[in-house]
Amino acid sequence: MKSNFAVATLFIVGSWLQSGCTKTPEWTLFYYPDADAAPTIPLQVDDIHGYYETLEQCQRKAQGMKRLSGSSVSHLGLGGYQCGQLCELDDASRLSCKTLSQ
């Protein structure tokens, strides 16, 4: 009886840990430190600066990065960004997102 309880407990805890580790962030931050706005060129993997569960988290991170870049005299006020929802690479290795927001 004692071993059945231990096995059941391990199964429940293991399932709980796996479900928490496999949640995919919905929003991707694309940040452009040397621009006032997001460029019109296609999205680039090199411009990714993090993954977030909500649009608000993505926007707050981008605003924080803009503030930090504004502390340098040579980059005063620069820093464009986009937050992309459900972004992924297609078969041709191009990034695409369901929506893009600022």
Side-chain angles (χ1 to χ4, degrees), residues 14-95:
S15 298
W16 177 72
L17 287 174
Q18 281 185 328
S19 67
C21 295
T22 59
K23 185 172 181 177
T24 304
E26 189 168 327
W27 292 92
T28 302
L29 173 60
F30 297 92
Y31 187 73
Y32 314 96
D34 297 325
D36 284 327
T40 57
I41 61 173
L43 299 171
Q44 303 292 317
V45 173
D46 292 341
D47 295 324
I48 294 175
H49 286 272
Y51 304 95
Y52 304 91
E53 290 184 26
T54 67
L55 174 59
E56 292 76 23
Q57 290 173 339
C58 182
Q59 291 169 328
R60 278 185 285 200
K61 178 63 176 186
Q63 292 300 321
M65 291 176 76
K66 283 182 74 147
R67 273 194 304 277
L68 288 174
S69 71
S71 65
S72 167
V73 174
S74 63
H75 290 92
L76 190 61
L78 291 181
Y81 73 92
Q82 298 179 92
C83 292
Q85 183 182 31
L86 300 173
C87 300
E88 57 189 17
L89 286 171
D90 64 14
D91 293 337
S93 296
R94 289 178 301 217
L95 271 170

